[in-house]
Amino acid sequence: MAALALTVVPVAGGATLDTTAVAAAGGGDTAPCGTGRFLYIFNGDAAPHTVTVATPGKVSGVAIADVTVTVAAGKTGCIPLSNVFRGATGRAAITYDGVTSVKVAAFELGT
């Protein structure tokens, strides 16, 4: 798994999300979790792709379902990376059903 770096989106000036994104790793990626953080996905492929973020926690002993988001061909998506996704490493574990022409980035909203 590749570790995605966190990019802060400044309040004044914004950011160009697609130029910060990197190719999604075939074995998956990890990203930092926390308030105001999110995963940006750009699917440049001709087919839709599903992104899964593992949810390692439990509520009353019952596992919380992983989050999946399908991003249509040529579209973008975002997944909030709240602390519910924090794994043993302190990062979210992210996998993809395919990585052809898929770019991703981890962002944090600036204050």
Side-chain angles (χ1 to χ4, degrees):
M1 290 192 148
L4 297 175
L6 188 65
T7 300
V8 176
V9 178
V11 173
T16 305
L17 303 182
D18 58 343
T19 59
T20 304
V22 297
D29 291 305
T30 65
C33 302
T35 304
R37 295 178 177 176
F38 64 95
L39 177 71
Y40 165 83
I41 307 114
F42 170 72
N43 180 9
D45 197 11
H49 285 290
T50 300
V51 179
T52 301
V53 183
T55 309
K58 294 183 178 184
V59 174
S60 299
V62 178
I64 303 168
D66 294 343
V67 170
T68 60
V69 172
T70 300
V71 182
K75 300 294 182 180
T76 60
C78 287
I79 302 173
L81 294 175
S82 66
N83 285 319
V84 71
F85 299 116
R86 186 178 304 275
T89 65
R91 299 173 67 87
I94 306 155
T95 56
Y96 315 96
D97 72 339
V99 295
T100 302
S101 300
V102 175
K103 289 185 166 189
V104 293
F107 289 100
E108 178 178 60
L109 301 175
T111 57

